[in-house]
Amino acid sequence: MTQNNKIALVTGGSRGLGKNAALMLSKKGIDVIITYRQKKEEAEEVVAGIQQNGQQAAALQLEVGDTSSFDGFIQQVSTTLNKHFGKTQFDFLVNNAGIEGFNPITETTEELFDNLYNVHLKGTYFLTQKALPLLANGGRIINFSTGLARFATPGYSAYASMKGAIEVFTRYLAKELGSRGITANTIAPGPIETDFTRHALGNPQIRNFLVGQTALARTGLPEDIGGVIAFLCSPEAGWVNAQRIEVSGGIFL
């Protein structure tokens, strides 16, 4: 069953998990606006893929770590909705954009910490705030956490701390937006094969260890995540709210 004329906004949709999510949403009959940080050509390829799936698409540039750009970005979203989709609101907000942040506590600089904070927590918080007037009643918000917020892997203290805060933020979104019929949930992937995880999964010892600790005995793929996001944007998921859904193949059980 398709959901004609529903629209999703997927941040960081030009690559990795965001790209797969955008394509999976389009396969379910949902139009998609993606954002990209720098590589416009990658975003245009995703737009083409969405269109090949029979849906409308657009790509907008966004630096999630720069909150001063958000008013202008939201205006771009509003204009794009009107001109390209004939609508004034969108239905699904997928806060996917992120950066990698591996460093032991003793080597974590304030600059690294601030970058992670600006992108993963401050950026997500205030972009969501700014987007709320454009998010339709009955809509969905999907935020990204990580398995690292449940289990501790040395080197990810700052990154995982931001994601732990996102889990709390998501529950508050669900509580405060419930009167509008908007749900908010968190996806928490385990190790996934993307350029984001190349640092860790490129090490055979780390890869073998993680595979050995996962019930399904492999690392994850982007398509393992995109389908879950598409489900959360489906009518069948309307009663799923304020949940942390770990999608990790059963790691560290």
Side-chain angles (χ1 to χ4, degrees):
M1 181 176 112
T2 61
Q3 302 174 64
N4 291 328
N5 216 32
K6 296 286 187 180
I7 302 171
L9 172 61
V10 181
T11 66
S14 62
R15 51 191 273 269
L17 299 183
K19 173 182 177 179
N20 188 265
L23 293 172
M24 289 296 293
L25 287 165
S26 68
K27 289 180 179 179
K28 298 296 184 180
I30 298 171
D31 297 332
V32 187
I33 299 172
I34 65 169
T35 77
Y36 65 95
R37 183 185 179 194
Q38 292 177 321
K39 297 182 179 179
K40 185 177 181 180
E41 63 279 7
E42 289 185 353
E44 290 174 343
E45 289 176 5
V46 178
V47 166
I50 293 167
Q51 292 170 339
Q52 288 174 5
N53 289 335
Q55 299 305 129
Q56 297 183 76
L60 301 175
Q61 197 277 333
L62 173 66
E63 174 53 77
V64 178
D66 179 13
T67 55
S68 68
S69 71
F70 287 178
D71 285 336
F73 171 73
I74 292 299
Q75 183 57 55
Q76 280 189 298
V77 173
S78 180
T79 300
T80 300
L81 286 169
N82 183 265
K83 288 187 176 181
H84 292 266
F85 301 93
K87 294 187 70 176
T88 59
Q89 292 184 305
F90 65 94
D91 305 276
F92 312 121
L93 174 61
V94 182
N95 284 311
N96 161 79
I99 58 174
E100 199 268 344
F102 176 85
N103 251 327
I105 295 172
T106 54
E107 298 176 18
T108 298
T109 63
E110 285 192 43
E111 180 181 12
L112 173 64
F113 188 96
D114 288 345
N115 285 340
L116 290 168
Y117 168 75
N118 287 335
V119 171
H120 289 287
L121 182 53
K122 184 179 179 181
T124 297
Y125 190 105
F126 286 103
L127 181 64
T128 301
Q129 179 196 75
K130 297 286 188 180
L132 287 178
L134 296 184
L135 184 62
N137 290 345
R140 313 283 169 81
I141 298 172
I142 301 169
N143 293 326
F144 269 73
S145 181
T146 172
L148 294 162
R150 174 176 66 84
F151 50 83
T153 299
Y156 291 98
S157 62
Y159 173 78
S161 294
M162 306 307 164
K163 292 302 192 179
I166 286 295
E167 294 183 10
V168 175
F169 173 50
T170 303
R171 293 196 295 272
Y172 272 83
L173 282 171
K175 190 75 169 180
E176 295 191 19
L177 300 178
S179 62
R180 291 181 55 189
I182 295 171
T183 67
N185 292 287
T186 305
I187 292 287
I192 306 293
E193 301 272 0
T194 68
D195 55 350
F196 192 83
T197 57
R198 187 176 294 121
H199 176 274
L201 297 184
N203 184 317
Q205 287 183 314
I206 295 177
R207 172 187 288 274
N208 292 338
F209 172 73
L210 293 173
V211 168
Q213 294 296 322
T214 303
L216 293 180
R218 66 171 175 85
T219 53
L221 300 172
E223 48 264 38
D224 293 321
I225 308 300
V228 180
I229 294 170
F231 164 71
L232 288 173
C233 293
S234 72
E236 290 79 9
W239 200 237
V240 180
N241 196 18
Q243 299 303 301
R244 174 192 188 274
I245 303 172
E246 184 168 313
V247 190
S248 66
I251 194 170
F252 295 127
L253 299 178

